[in-house]
Amino acid sequence: MFLLHFHRPLQPLLFLLVYWEKAEFPFHVIPKFAALRIAGGTIKGYGCPDLSIAGSAVAAAEVARVDASCSTFFLVHSSLAMLTIALCGSEAQKQKYLPSLAQMKTIACWALTEPDYGSDASALKTTATKVEGGWILDGQKRWIGNSTFADLLVIFARNMTTNQINGYIVKKDAPGLTVTKMENKIGLRIVQNGDIVMGKVFVPDDDRLEGVNSFQDTNKVLAVSRVMVAWQPIGLSMGIYDMCHRYLKERKQFGAPLAAFQISQQKLVQMLGNIQAMILVGWRLCKLYESGKMTPGHASLGKSWITLRARETAALGRELLGGNGILADFLVAKAFCDIEPIYTFEGTYDINTLVTGREITGFASFKPVAQKSRL
């Protein structure tokens, strides 16, 4: 009876649990997303909202507060794919693609990661060969969110003439393009991650992103994206706190609400303290970006530290719910699983600490130091 009582006001959230359990995407929510008019975030013009980065970040956090998978779907579409076209595309490409993407009549994905190149993304092996009128793409991508149903795929490949990384817009029905859904994930199960295989996929010259001429050009997008991703676990943690706060006040043991026990209050306050600190770090990142002073080290420190605190907050929330903390029905267990991929994508915790470490020490430690023989 308690479960039924607790769930009654949560029906708007519980329908997502069905999709999470089945690892399916609720396509009927896309028009509701579109109605929020937040797709495109900081992009000005082309039907985009021209939000401040802080406004866009808070919007992303509020979506994550309800469901982390939906926020990931949205961030891939808006803060990666759309922003790449806005920052690196030609005027003709912006006019052609952004209005429909802003209205979410078309959906996009962003494909950088490959089966053999995750953290070492700059070493990617997908190739782009120049031919008359366009380019031929060959290679594979992995872990690409939205890719199983995206209308447009922003693909990064190595130009075989310059050996530099270039960007391309690929249509979902392009001959030679195959996308297969990845199965058996334990977190962000609503997100449709795909394995992409490209076998001689032709891309016309008009769909080559002229502003992506090296791997460094992706940093223009990732700088904004890392700020947005840093706010995703903030929203997730707020949602966990919301559920735990309510649960502790309604659930009774030993004749009293769980909220009346000291240890419950201590954990709840620790969660709240984490969230307040996370918000302040996220806000600082936004201010640094707006002033033009944010460095890669700032963004990496923010993303890594915030996700670490969110992981701790999720663990505390799971503990507070006791046995119910391992039931997805109470939503905290779902969030507990969802934080794991967020802790890992857009740079793992370890890689992001190395980015900041390089910035503050002057030494890059991404690769093992070559050992010299003493013989």
Side-chain angles (χ1 to χ4, degrees):
M1 286 301 295
F2 172 75
L3 185 63
L4 293 174
H5 169 75
F6 187 80
H7 274 178
R8 192 170 294 115
L10 301 179
Q11 293 303 322
L13 302 181
L14 291 177
F15 89 89
L16 289 170
L17 176 58
V18 175
Y19 287 91
W20 190 89
E21 290 275 11
K22 294 174 12 180
E24 295 177 355
F25 188 84
F27 290 99
H28 65 281
V29 306
I30 293 179
K32 297 179 181 181
F33 258 118
L36 296 175
R37 295 185 53 81
I38 55 176
T42 58
I43 301 170
K44 185 176 182 179
Y46 314 100
C48 298
D50 187 24
L51 299 173
S52 67
I53 192 164
S56 189
V58 170
E62 287 298 330
V63 175
R65 190 173 189 168
V66 175
D67 183 78
S69 292
C70 287
S71 70
T72 301
F73 151 76
F74 178 74
L75 289 176
V76 169
H77 172 79
S78 180
S79 297
L80 286 173
M82 287 185 69
L83 196 61
T84 298
I85 295 172
L87 295 179
C88 305
S90 66
E91 182 60 30
Q93 289 168 340
K94 296 174 192 177
Q95 295 282 358
K96 181 178 180 181
Y97 295 119
L98 288 179
S100 179
L101 291 168
Q103 297 172 44
M104 301 187 81
K105 293 180 178 178
T106 53
I107 300 299
C109 70
W110 197 82
L112 176 64
T113 301
E114 298 186 357
D116 295 326
Y117 299 95
S119 296
D120 190 15
S122 63
L124 64 84
K125 294 299 183 185
T126 296
T127 61
T129 304
K130 188 71 180 79
V131 295
E132 183 177 355
W135 302 78
I136 296 294
L137 303 188
D138 286 286
Q140 300 177 55
K141 298 293 179 180
R142 186 164 173 79
W143 289 111
I144 309 307
N146 304 353
S147 59
T148 62
F149 59 86
D151 301 288
L152 303 176
L153 300 86
V154 176
I155 303 282
F156 295 91
R158 189 171 303 279
N159 184 322
M160 295 304 288
T161 301
T162 65
N163 202 39
Q164 295 295 321
I165 305 302
N166 290 171
Y168 304 87
I169 300 171
V170 178
K171 311 296 197 312
K172 68 176 180 180
D173 56 355
L177 177 71
T178 303
V179 183
T180 306
K181 177 183 173 181
M182 296 177 66
E183 303 283 0
N184 304 319
K185 297 184 301 172
I186 67 162
L188 297 181
R189 289 174 55 79
I190 290 174
V191 178
Q192 303 298 291
N193 294 90
D195 283 312
I196 298 174
V197 177
M198 291 165 285
K200 300 189 182 305
V201 173
F202 177 76
V203 180
D205 283 325
D206 288 347
D207 285 331
R208 152 88 162 89
L209 289 162
E210 62 182 28
V212 183
N213 296 298
S214 72
F215 186 75
Q216 292 302 314
D217 290 322
T218 66
N219 286 333
K220 292 183 288 188
V221 177
L222 290 173
V224 179
S225 179
R226 285 230 169 94
V227 175
M228 302 302 293
V229 168
W231 277 82
Q232 189 181 15
I234 294 174
L236 182 70
S237 298
M238 290 192 295
I240 293 170
Y241 177 85
D242 291 341
M243 302 310 267
C244 290
H245 182 266
R246 178 175 171 184
Y247 181 92
L248 294 176
K249 294 182 75 172
E250 296 188 2
R251 174 75 164 173
K252 291 183 178 181
Q253 290 291 292
F254 303 104
L258 291 176
F261 294 89
Q262 289 180 342
I263 196 164
S264 296
Q265 294 185 11
Q266 184 273 324
K267 290 181 179 180
L268 199 62
V269 170
Q270 187 176 348
M271 293 167 66
L272 182 60
N274 280 349
I275 293 167
Q276 296 302 310
M278 291 156 66
I279 289 172
L280 289 172
V281 171
W283 188 258
R284 175 64 173 157
L285 277 182
C286 291
K287 295 295 124 180
L288 285 169
Y289 181 85
E290 289 174 344
S291 66
K293 296 177 181 178
M294 191 185 79
T295 66
H298 288 142
S300 290
L301 176 60
K303 195 270 179 179
S304 60
W305 187 86
I306 287 172
T307 53
L308 185 65
R309 294 281 75 79
R311 213 181 186 199
E312 178 183 80
T313 301
L316 288 167
R318 199 222 60 76
E319 291 175 13
L320 281 171
L321 267 64
N324 288 329
I326 63 169
L327 288 174
D329 297 15
F330 286 82
L331 304 180
V332 171
K334 180 169 80 71
F336 182 85
C337 293
D338 286 343
I339 190 58
E340 288 304 300
I342 297 172
Y343 180 76
T344 302
F345 66 41
E346 287 268 358
T348 65
Y349 174 84
D350 296 320
I351 288 296
N352 274 309
T353 58
L354 295 182
V355 171
T356 306
R358 176 182 60 188
E359 194 167 288
I360 64 177
T361 67
F363 294 101
S365 57
F366 297 96
K367 298 179 181 180
V369 177
Q371 298 294 320
K372 294 182 179 180
S373 173
R374 295 186 180 184
L375 298 179

